[in-house]
Amino acid sequence: MTKLGILTKLTNIQLAFVIIVPIVLVLFLGICIYFPVSRFYHKKNFQIHYYKRIYRVALDNDYYLINQFVFKIDSAKVASVDHILFGNKYIYVLSSKYYQGDLVGKYQDKSLIFISHRGKKCYTDNPYNQVKFLASKLSSSTGIDASLMIGIVLVNDDCKVAVQSDSKQFYIIQRKRFAALIKAIESRPVEEINQNQLAKAVQSIAKQNKRKK
């Protein structure tokens, strides 16, 4: 190979290097920026993402849905439920949570172990207790049979839930698994709620909504 051919070959290699390296660096930086920004966005707007999934389930199955329900639990206190979904067989009391880590523990525990993405451990309130409290108070306030209430805590998809539970009434579930859970519960061999009774229950709950307009 002539000196000119060698020089041309090196020049082509250098040219390719000059073109490819900046592209690789831009892609690398883009990836490095995307995940933190995406996580921050989802943390700030997690309720919107949860609502979209819940609304889709309601729309696909022709279920009633009430959002941001606020009701009195006594003369001085009110409680807030993120969403109430009225299925054919059950009424779902839904609470939304976002965790930057994982949950470990037992259903009956007062607190769960929270493990951050960096491996740091600490105790956090057991969200089972909150949704059980809301379902119980909602049942008492409306007169709807507590056995018809299913409490579900929705968490972000990257939160791993390792909470031991044999409850068939209260759940902690990732957002992506919500539709499948509702489908499984609604397929239980129990009678559907009478449609007239269901409509009255929806009206009764909606009338008690103390949320500011």
Side-chain angles (χ1 to χ4, degrees):
M1 183 180 293
T2 64
K3 292 183 178 179
L4 180 59
I6 294 174
L7 181 60
T8 301
K9 185 177 181 181
L10 288 175
T11 301
N12 289 338
I13 292 174
Q14 290 172 341
L15 180 61
F17 182 81
V18 169
I19 294 173
I20 293 173
V21 169
I23 294 175
V24 172
L25 287 175
V26 169
L27 289 174
F28 177 75
L29 289 174
I31 292 172
C32 290
I33 294 172
Y34 171 77
F35 288 105
V37 171
S38 177
R39 186 175 291 118
F40 176 80
Y41 174 79
H42 281 82
K43 180 182 178 181
K44 288 292 184 181
N45 300 280
F46 72 93
Q47 290 185 330
I48 296 175
H49 291 281
Y50 294 0
Y51 166 73
K52 289 180 178 179
R53 182 59 55 91
I54 295 166
Y55 177 75
R56 173 52 58 183
V57 170
L59 187 65
D60 289 345
N61 295 280
D62 196 27
Y63 292 161
Y64 294 105
L65 175 63
I66 294 177
N67 302 302
Q68 300 301 313
F69 177 74
V70 179
F71 65 105
K72 293 181 67 174
I73 56 177
D74 60 35
S75 59
K77 297 180 180 179
V78 297
S80 176
V81 179
D82 293 330
H83 311 277
I84 303 175
L85 181 68
F86 299 82
N88 292 325
K89 297 181 179 180
Y90 296 96
I91 297 171
Y92 301 89
V93 180
L94 309 176
S95 179
S96 305
K97 298 288 185 182
Y98 187 94
Y99 294 97
Q100 289 185 292
D102 306 325
L103 297 175
V104 178
K106 296 181 180 180
Y107 165 77
Q108 302 90 345
D109 293 343
K110 181 178 181 180
S111 300
L112 297 179
I113 298 173
F114 169 75
I115 305 175
S116 72
H117 293 307
R118 296 183 178 182
K120 185 177 180 180
K121 297 181 180 181
C122 64
Y123 286 103
T124 187
D125 292 339
N126 188 341
Y128 272 117
N129 295 331
Q130 179 190 23
V131 77
K132 286 168 64 178
F133 172 81
L134 290 174
S136 174
K137 292 301 181 182
L138 185 61
S139 172
S140 299
S141 176
T142 60
I144 297 173
D145 192 334
S147 66
L148 295 177
M149 301 280 187
I150 300 290
I152 301 176
V153 179
L154 282 175
V155 300
N156 40 304
D157 291 342
D158 58 347
C159 172
K160 296 178 181 178
V161 180
V163 181
Q164 299 177 24
S165 173
D166 57 1
S167 175
K168 301 300 181 184
Q169 188 174 10
F170 300 102
Y171 300 85
I172 300 177
I173 194 79
Q174 293 169 321
R175 183 183 69 97
K176 62 184 178 183
R177 303 182 188 279
F178 175 69
L181 176 63
I182 296 298
K183 183 178 180 180
I185 296 174
E186 286 291 313
S187 67
R188 292 176 181 175
V190 299
E191 292 185 5
E192 294 187 357
I193 303 173
N194 178 276
Q195 289 301 305
N196 290 330
Q197 292 178 333
L198 180 61
K200 289 180 180 179
V202 174
Q203 293 172 6
S204 174
I205 289 177
K207 288 179 179 178
Q208 295 189 50
N209 198 348
K210 302 299 181 182
R211 178 171 61 90
K212 294 181 180 180
K213 304 297 183 181

